[in-house]
Amino acid sequence: AASDVYKRQDLANKTDLPKTKIEHWFRKDKCFSYPSIEDWNKIKPHLKKIQFDDELTYEIDEDWKS
């Protein structure tokens, strides 16, 4: 909806993130993506309702095994 477009532009204006990158997080098809932890922490202060914070910031420290 129009309000979603405004929110995306608003997040782009308030952060150093490109609007096109932010748009991928709001897509409702198979081409959506999740923000990186760094990007999530940039947009989080500008969101009215914070959901899935633990899931988006959870990290597992593992050694690479080939």
Side-chain angles (χ1 to χ4, degrees), residues 20-43:
T20 53
K21 186 175 195 179
I22 293 169
E23 288 173 333
H24 279 279
W25 307 330
F26 288 90
R27 291 179 70 143
K28 296 181 179 170
D29 61 10
K30 64 180 182 175
C31 296
F32 80 99
S33 66
Y34 297 106
S36 67
I37 293 174
E38 181 181 333
D39 290 345
W40 173 248
N41 287 327
K42 288 179 184 180
I43 66 167

Side-chain angles (χ1 to χ4, degrees), residues 6-56:
Y6 171 74
K7 291 174 191 171
R8 295 171 200 175
Q9 184 62 56
D10 193 39
L11 286 173
N13 291 341
K14 291 178 178 180
T15 65
D16 63 348
L17 301 169
K19 182 182 169 201
T20 53
K21 186 175 195 179
I22 293 169
E23 288 173 333
H24 279 279
W25 307 330
F26 288 90
R27 291 179 70 143
K28 296 181 179 170
D29 61 10
K30 64 180 182 175
C31 296
F32 80 99
S33 66
Y34 297 106
S36 67
I37 293 174
E38 181 181 333
D39 290 345
W40 173 248
N41 287 327
K42 288 179 184 180
I43 66 167
K44 190 167 49 170
H46 307 290
L47 301 175
K48 291 180 183 177
K49 185 177 180 183
I50 305 296
Q51 291 182 316
F52 309 113
D53 189 44
D54 290 339
E55 292 84 351
L56 288 168

